[in-house]
Amino acid sequence: MGPLVARFSRAGQRLRHADRARPWVLDTAVVTLVFLLFCLPDLLRAGGGPDGDEPHHLRLAFTQLPVPAMLAVQAGLVLPLLWRRRRPAAAFGAVAAVFVLQWSLDVLLRADVALFVALYSLVLHGRLRQLPWACGVMTGVMALVAARVSAVVPFWDALFFLLSTATAALALGLVVRIRRAQLAALRDRATRLEVERDQRSRLAAAAERARVAREMHDIVGHNLAVIITLADAGAYATGHAPDRGREALRLIGDTGRQALGELRRVLGVLREASDGARGEPELSPQPGLADLDALCEGVRAAGLEVLYRTAGDVDALDSGVQLTIYRIVQEALTNTLKHAGADTRVNLAIVVDESRLTITVRDTGPPGAGRRTGPVNEEGHGLVGMRERAALYGGSLTAGPADAGWTVEAVLDLTPQGGGR
């Protein structure tokens, strides 16, 4: 049954596409089919062919038209069906007018089925507000026919049969119309869902690109700042203290290898799996509070004096909060190293107070220099990234000069999402 249904479905789709391209073909086919099935037998009988299967007394009760007149009446009944989809109300009105004229002459034709086809088309393709008057017209003309055939068929029996046939055409048109409306609504919904899915995919891709850009900025910016500082110190120490120069080179190598490892980890999550288990990227854990000691040691090797303290239950923080803390501290220390240089003292404090976490990074500025100021009307990617990370936890970040140095303070909201305070 499955393949058969699929073949019928494909055939139906091809027919619908062909009908949309050439609608006149189907309209002409309907008119031709009605003519062959219902008009041609009456023409053959009128032209001297076999009488058909009508009872003899029924044939005697009605007027027999000559072939030209019968052909004209049949044309008036059938030809309006050519525009039954484009102008359904006009087609129904034309067929009904010819139908009334025919029965006023006491003529019985098989082509009267065109009236039911026109009613079906009006229900399917016309405006719903046109149905009341169409039903009124059908009731009137059916009563006329029942009155004309009352000599051979009881009036109420004929009226019941005719109105039942009209009701069947009306109901069939409504069923097909409702079904088509449901399918159109489903197609529209599927299209909108597809558009929404594509939009969500693009938004997710943009968010992922922003996240990776922040990670890359934090990794590359921090480690390059440390490497540049160590390289400058090593170049200065080469002529005066070769041992310090070799130590600086060793630290540069360690920092470079650390940066390379972190870059591989970040880029590994972007690599698509190619061959099963081998395609899975080998990821190391994201940095957290436990890695802050190593971070401070790295910047101490570059010349900064870092005083690090914590307060509160920092061990209970989840991994996402710890990563945010690490990246904010890393960026703040990197900015201190770039703008204040070595021989600067930095006070780093992480304080957890119930549902509030405060990160404070305050440096004393370069020795012997005036008040350190930031760029006027300009904010680098580092501060933007820190603010975005703080905003993920409903927090805020402020940065600005303080005394002779610079202070960065971030406040995070640790309240669980959806929970009360």
Side-chain angles (χ1 to χ4, degrees), residues 384-408:
V384 173
M386 287 192 288
R387 284 201 172 92
E388 290 176 351
R389 291 185 183 277
L392 291 176
Y393 290 91
S396 61
L397 183 136
T398 57
D403 297 330
W406 191 268
T407 298
V408 174

Side-chain angles (χ1 to χ4, degrees), residues 8 10 17-19 24 26 75 121 124 132 143 176 190 211 225 234 278 282 284 296 318 330 348 360 366-367 409:
F8 276 119
R10 288 193 294 270
H17 290 317
D19 182 46
W24 59 268
L26 179 59
S121 301
L124 180 58
V176 175
R211 185 189 68 81
R278 288 184 58 190
E282 298 181 1
S284 61
C296 292
D318 62 53
Q330 183 185 50
L348 168 62
T360 305
E409 183 176 83

Side-chain angles (χ1 to χ4, degrees), residues 144-221:
L144 172 64
V145 174
R148 290 295 185 181
V149 300
S150 59
V152 292
V153 180
F155 173 82
W156 293 109
D157 292 346
L159 184 62
F160 174 79
F161 173 77
L162 292 171
L163 289 181
S164 298
T165 306
T167 302
L170 179 69
L172 181 61
L174 286 175
V175 169
V176 175
R177 184 183 185 123
I178 293 172
R179 179 61 177 168
R180 288 185 178 180
Q182 290 175 339
L183 292 176
L186 289 175
R187 284 193 293 268
D188 180 66
R189 177 175 173 81
T191 301
R192 285 188 284 107
L193 288 176
E194 185 176 353
V195 171
E196 292 175 1
R197 182 201 62 193
D198 294 339
Q199 290 177 343
R200 286 195 299 269
S201 298
R202 287 193 292 269
L203 290 175
E208 182 65 14
R209 285 195 297 268
R211 185 189 68 81
V212 172
R214 286 197 303 266
E215 292 288 326
M216 296 286 286
H217 175 272
D218 293 340
I219 294 170
V220 175

Side-chain angles (χ1 to χ4, degrees), residues 60-357:
L60 295 177
F62 296 99
T63 303
Q64 300 296 319
L65 292 176
V67 173
M70 182 182 295
L71 187 60
V73 174
Q74 289 177 341
L77 290 171
V78 175
L79 288 181
L81 298 181
L82 286 172
W83 64 85
R84 65 186 182 88
R85 294 190 292 178
R86 289 169 293 173
R87 298 288 187 273
F92 176 79
V95 174
V98 177
F99 186 90
V100 171
L101 175 64
Q102 169 208 328
W103 280 97
S104 65
L105 299 175
D106 281 339
V107 176
L108 173 65
L109 294 175
R110 290 182 174 89
D112 290 338
V113 73
L115 182 63
F116 300 103
V117 177
L119 176 63
Y120 164 81
S121 301
L122 176 62
V123 175
L124 180 58
H125 302 290
R127 298 170 181 167
L128 292 179
R129 65 171 180 265
Q130 297 171 338
L131 294 186
W133 70 262
C135 293
V137 170
M138 284 297 295
T139 303
V141 297
M142 293 300 103
L144 172 64
V145 174
R148 290 295 185 181
V149 300
S150 59
V152 292
V153 180
F155 173 82
W156 293 109
D157 292 346
L159 184 62
F160 174 79
F161 173 77
L162 292 171
L163 289 181
S164 298
T165 306
T167 302
L170 179 69
L172 181 61
L174 286 175
V175 169
V176 175
R177 184 183 185 123
I178 293 172
R179 179 61 177 168
R180 288 185 178 180
Q182 290 175 339
L183 292 176
L186 289 175
R187 284 193 293 268
D188 180 66
R189 177 175 173 81
T191 301
R192 285 188 284 107
L193 288 176
E194 185 176 353
V195 171
E196 292 175 1
R197 182 201 62 193
D198 294 339
Q199 290 177 343
R200 286 195 299 269
S201 298
R202 287 193 292 269
L203 290 175
E208 182 65 14
R209 285 195 297 268
R211 185 189 68 81
V212 172
R214 286 197 303 266
E215 292 288 326
M216 296 286 286
H217 175 272
D218 293 340
I219 294 170
V220 175
H222 170 74
N223 288 287
L224 281 182
V226 174
I227 289 173
I228 291 170
T229 304
L230 289 172
D232 292 340
Y236 175 78
T238 299
H240 302 81
D243 293 339
R244 296 290 300 275
R246 284 192 295 270
E247 178 67 16
L249 292 176
R250 185 186 65 79
L251 291 174
I252 289 174
D254 293 341
T255 304
R257 280 187 291 271
Q258 179 184 355
L260 183 60
E262 293 189 17
L263 285 175
R264 285 175 175 170
R265 173 179 54 77
V266 173
L267 296 177
V269 300
L270 304 178
R271 188 184 308 119
E272 295 181 354
S274 56
D275 53 354
R278 288 184 58 190
E280 295 292 333
E282 298 181 1
L283 303 180
S284 61
Q286 292 276 33
L289 291 180
D291 301 287
L292 282 179
D293 290 328
L295 177 66
C296 292
E297 287 298 328
V299 295
R300 287 189 186 109
L304 291 182
E305 180 183 352
V306 181
L307 302 179
Y308 169 41
R309 69 179 183 89
T310 61
D313 190 9
V314 295
D315 295 331
L317 299 174
D318 62 53
S319 58
V321 176
Q322 293 192 30
L323 175 62
T324 299
I325 296 171
Y326 182 90
R327 292 306 186 197
I328 290 176
V329 172
Q330 183 185 50
E331 180 62 29
L333 293 178
T334 301
N335 289 339
T336 298
L337 196 60
K338 289 192 297 184
H339 296 290
D343 300 326
T344 301
R345 186 172 60 195
V346 180
N347 291 303
L348 168 62
I350 300 173
V351 179
V352 178
D353 182 12
E354 295 182 356
S355 61
R356 177 187 176 95
L357 184 143

Side-chain angles (χ1 to χ4, degrees), residues 355-368:
S355 61
R356 177 187 176 95
L357 184 143
T358 305
I359 307 167
T360 305
V361 183
R362 179 180 292 110
D363 66 67
T364 59

